[in-house]
Amino acid sequence: MFSKLSIVVASALITLAAAIPTSTPPIVPPTSDQCCASVVDSSSTDAGAVLAALGIDLGDIDIPVGLSCSPITVLGNNCGGVTTRCDAPEIEWGGLIAINCIPITL
């Protein structure tokens, strides 16, 4: 009886271990049009300072990061900086930073 129980427990643990992700999730395409003061690499010191202040850890992911971004809500290019499409949750990051920024033309 105990041998059957140990087999069931071992099988459950193996299944659980296989289901735990071992790498960072893929970056999804950005969804928000933003006007950023500048776009820098996430490994730059400027981006690192803002990311650290906001408690954002990108790990080893190396992506373009927009600094001092605001949403573009009106059609046309009135952006005085770099027009991008980014992932930029306004509530969490307060416009200080946006990640996964791709330059666009409106």
Side-chain angles (χ1 to χ4, degrees):
M1 174 158 167
F2 286 111
S3 64
K4 289 181 183 179
L5 179 62
S6 63
I7 291 173
V8 170
V9 170
S11 297
L13 290 175
I14 290 170
T15 303
L16 180 62
I20 297 173
T22 58
S23 63
T24 56
I27 299 295
V28 296
T31 57
S32 175
D33 293 343
Q34 300 282 318
C35 178
C36 300
S38 63
V39 176
V40 297
D41 194 63
S42 60
S43 61
S44 74
T45 55
D46 292 338
V50 177
L51 289 167
L54 293 173
I56 301 170
D57 181 16
L58 295 179
D60 293 333
I61 299 173
D62 195 19
I63 57 174
V65 172
L67 301 176
S68 298
C69 299
S70 60
I72 297 174
T73 56
V74 179
L75 291 178
N77 191 359
N78 295 328
C79 177
V82 182
T83 307
T84 62
R85 181 161 291 146
C86 304
D87 293 321
E90 189 67 31
I91 295 170
E92 290 94 353
W93 301 341
L96 294 174
I97 197 164
I99 61 170
N100 195 22
C101 294
I102 299 169
I104 60 170
T105 304
L106 294 178

